[in-house]
Amino acid sequence: KGNLPVIEAIPLQMQQIFYNLVNNGLKFTREGVAPELTISSRMLDDKDKLAQPQLLKDKEYVELSFRDNGIGFSNEYASQIFGLFKRLHSKDSYKGSGIGLALCQRVADNHHGYIYAKGDPGKGASFFVILPTKQW
């Protein structure tokens, strides 16, 4: 929705985040339901930064969100899915190496940001990438 922000970042690594999150949104679909993926962004305000202690208060941050209408997941697994080779489904059900989300987390960390997810089983998943607009 709208334009995405311009930030200081390594272009190839930003491409990896987009590739992996879009790919997951298209991979983990519900049978008989056309996939929908919404990518949006917003600047975090002071209230947002206060609510997230890992953010520096004197930096500007952007939140990228990737929302899909796929199979979703239970929020109890929200932090586990970013582990290397961690899968919530068998390789037979959904193809992949199990490194995509771990790579996204590594890229976010490398840019002094972070990533987290929220799921709704049977309704979809949302991934949020918080990144500073300028690197230090």
Side-chain angles (χ1 to χ4, degrees):
K1 295 180 173 181
N3 295 324
L4 294 176
V6 176
I7 64 171
E8 283 182 4
I10 300 168
L12 179 60
Q13 290 186 12
M14 290 300 106
Q15 180 182 344
Q16 290 171 322
I17 282 184
F18 275 78
Y19 174 83
N20 283 301
L21 295 177
V22 169
N23 189 45
N24 279 1
L26 296 174
K27 183 191 313 182
F28 296 103
T29 59
R30 291 180 284 150
E31 191 171 328
V33 177
E36 291 181 17
L37 181 65
T38 303
I39 302 170
S40 60
S41 68
R42 70 182 184 96
M43 296 301 294
L44 297 186
D45 61 23
D46 289 338
K47 183 178 173 185
D48 294 323
K49 289 189 281 187
L50 284 173
Q52 300 183 46
Q54 67 270 49
L55 299 181
L56 300 174
K57 306 311 172 226
D58 62 338
K59 288 280 194 187
E60 278 192 334
Y61 290 89
V62 65
E63 175 188 82
L64 302 173
S65 65
F66 297 76
R67 301 173 194 270
D68 67 56
N69 67 337
I71 61 172
F73 60 87
S74 175
N75 279 317
E76 68 185 276
Y77 301 111
S79 61
Q80 176 184 326
I81 61 177
F82 294 101
L84 195 56
F85 304 116
K86 295 290 183 183
R87 304 175 61 92
L88 296 183
H89 308 282
S90 73
K91 278 189 170 184
D92 297 332
S93 300
Y94 296 95
K95 302 293 182 212
S97 63
I99 65 170
L101 291 177
L103 178 64
C104 289
Q105 182 168 25
R106 186 74 172 244
V107 169
D109 291 346
N110 190 42
H111 287 83
H112 306 101
Y114 68 99
I115 184 171
Y116 66 98
K118 294 181 181 178
D120 193 354
K123 296 185 179 173
S126 297
F127 291 85
F128 303 91
V129 184
I130 309 294
L131 298 167
T133 58
K134 299 210 180 297
Q135 296 296 307
W136 42 94

